[in-house]
Amino acid sequence: PQNFLVLIKAGSKAKYGQRRKIWRNSTCPTTYKNYKMPYRFMLAMPAHETIDPNGHNQGKTASPEEIMDMEKIRNESVVHEDMEFLALKDVYDDSNLKVIRMLEWAMDRE
């Protein structure tokens, strides 16, 4: 197929790194490469605390756990070069927004 791209919606907390590792060690990456089908893991920024959509939180900073997860996924992305980071927090309530951002990213790369 031409102009085909596989986007994998992935969690950004460090615990999800194991899932990406299992996927990378499966036959999927080789199969995709054989058919010239690129793939990207799509991640938002780690969020360990509940985010109050009604709160203003302008002065809020990332927690130590969030910073540690960001460092881990950044290092993972340097090694594997198959990850994209979306400009939003990775919280369940924003799953639909994450899908929209994934599609925007795919359209913008054309």
Side-chain angles (χ1 to χ4, degrees), residues 13 16 18 23 29 32-35 49 59 61 70 75 77-78 85 91 106 109:
K13 290 183 181 177
Y16 296 111
Q18 183 63 26
W23 192 90
Y32 287 2
K33 187 175 182 177
N34 289 342
Y35 286 99
E49 299 175 18
T61 59
M70 285 186 256
N75 294 341
S77 74
V78 169
F85 298 97
V91 293
R109 64 186 293 276

Side-chain angles (χ1 to χ4, degrees), residues 1-21:
Q2 292 181 333
N3 296 325
F4 196 83
L5 172 66
V6 177
L7 301 180
I8 305 167
K9 184 174 170 272
S12 60
K13 290 183 181 177
K15 67 180 182 178
Y16 296 111
Q18 183 63 26
R19 292 180 185 180
R20 290 186 294 275
K21 181 179 178 181

Side-chain angles (χ1 to χ4, degrees), residues 7 16 25 28 32 43-44 59 65 73 85 91 97-98:
L7 301 180
Y16 296 111
N25 291 328
C28 290
Y32 287 2
L43 291 88
E65 295 85 7
I73 61 176
F85 298 97
V91 293
L97 183 58
K98 187 174 183 180

Side-chain angles (χ1 to χ4, degrees), residues 30-44:
T30 303
T31 302
Y32 287 2
K33 187 175 182 177
N34 289 342
Y35 286 99
K36 297 182 172 106
M37 293 170 36
Y39 71 89
R40 306 299 287 173
F41 288 103
M42 306 301 287
L43 291 88

